[in-house]
Amino acid sequence: TVFRALGSTDQPFYYGALSRSLMDQALAAGKTKGLKGQALKEFAETLIKSPTEEMLRYGTADAATAVFQNETYLGRAAKAIQNIPIVGEIIVPFGRTPSAVATQILKYTPAGTAAEIISQIHAGKFDQRLFSEAVGRGLTGTGVLAIGYELYKKGLVSLDRPKTEREQKLWELEGRKANSIKIGGKWRSPIVLGPAGNLLLIGGHFGKALEKSGSPSEALS
């Protein structure tokens, strides 16, 4: 019931993302043909009315990703656990959406870029669109990770809630909140930034681990 209700509110975002994806693809196809101005616009509008199978496949994938309903390796693993009789859905009540969120975060790291390249090597087929997206996400995410690291060094990011009572009281006095960044004197949740918000926190965790271990490779793991 909960997921059907949430699914219905996802529809405008799903079809909005689908529409944007199809238009982007149609415009890219027109530019590849050397079209400009009104000719490009007319070409794109005509193509959208009868899109190719490839355009629909990309568009559907983009739309599902936008609302975190895309299939992922983690999602399939969660589904396998849910299929265990009696205890499966108790252990993992929700699978697809959290797995899609986690996968999207991973895609914005260098690991995500490498995973797409390796996937294309195994498939034996170069997909320029997916390759470009993977490189773009990886470069963007790497920059955000670095920002999270610097925020931690300056004491402007808080991570997990402290376990000791003394630290917890100190946090309360300072108005700190777990998994937050300090902006304008207030601790705010970075989750509104989407995958980038989580990457800021991961950058902070890297800084904390590096501070303790002194080893970049250990901190990275």
Side-chain angles (χ1 to χ4, degrees):
T1 301
V2 170
F3 271 93
R4 284 178 181 170
L6 291 173
S8 65
T9 60
D10 279 342
Q11 294 306 294
F13 301 100
Y14 178 93
Y15 285 104
L18 176 62
S19 178
R20 283 195 304 275
S21 178
L22 291 175
M23 177 56 79
D24 286 345
Q25 292 180 70
L27 289 171
K31 288 177 181 178
T32 301
K33 291 179 178 291
L35 300 176
K36 296 180 181 178
Q38 187 62 28
L40 175 61
K41 181 182 177 182
E42 290 175 358
F43 173 84
E45 288 175 348
T46 302
L47 184 56
I48 285 174
K49 290 176 183 177
S50 54
T52 64
E53 285 187 18
E54 184 180 64
M55 287 176 65
L56 288 172
R57 187 172 68 253
Y58 281 134
T60 302
D62 289 342
T65 301
V67 294
F68 299 115
Q69 289 301 310
N70 52 309
E71 280 198 10
T72 62
Y73 291 114
L74 287 175
R76 287 194 284 273
K79 185 66 177 175
I81 296 172
Q82 289 175 331
N83 288 336
I84 299 172
I86 303 175
V87 297
E89 291 193 352
I90 296 173
I91 297 170
V92 183
F94 310 113
R96 175 175 288 191
T97 301
S99 299
V101 172
T103 300
Q104 192 69 352
I105 293 168
L106 183 65
K107 284 182 177 180
Y108 277 86
T109 69
T113 304
E116 179 58 39
I117 293 171
I118 292 169
S119 175
Q120 292 197 24
I121 291 171
H122 280 293
K125 182 181 178 182
F126 177 66
D127 189 316
Q128 186 175 353
R129 186 172 190 271
L130 295 181
F131 174 79
S132 299
E133 286 179 349
V135 171
R137 288 192 185 108
L139 290 172
T140 301
T142 301
V144 176
L145 286 166
I147 292 169
Y149 171 65
E150 289 298 324
L151 286 171
Y152 175 79
K153 283 169 61 179
K154 296 294 183 182
L156 297 174
V157 62
S158 63
L159 304 173
D160 300 333
R161 183 171 170 77
K163 295 178 180 178
T164 66
E165 187 177 349
R166 184 168 176 271
E167 284 183 301
Q168 288 174 8
K169 286 183 177 179
L170 183 62
W171 271 38
E172 287 174 12
L173 290 171
E174 294 177 348
R176 278 190 182 235
K177 297 177 182 177
N179 301 313
S180 301
I181 53 176
K182 194 174 185 180
I183 302 174
K186 292 184 178 181
W187 291 95
R188 307 173 191 272
S189 172
I191 305 304
V192 294
L193 301 174
N198 289 288
L199 288 171
L200 282 173
L201 298 176
I202 293 170
H205 277 290
F206 171 79
K208 184 178 181 180
L210 183 62
E211 195 174 70
K212 286 184 177 180
S213 67
S215 167
S217 58
E218 190 175 330
L220 191 60
S221 67

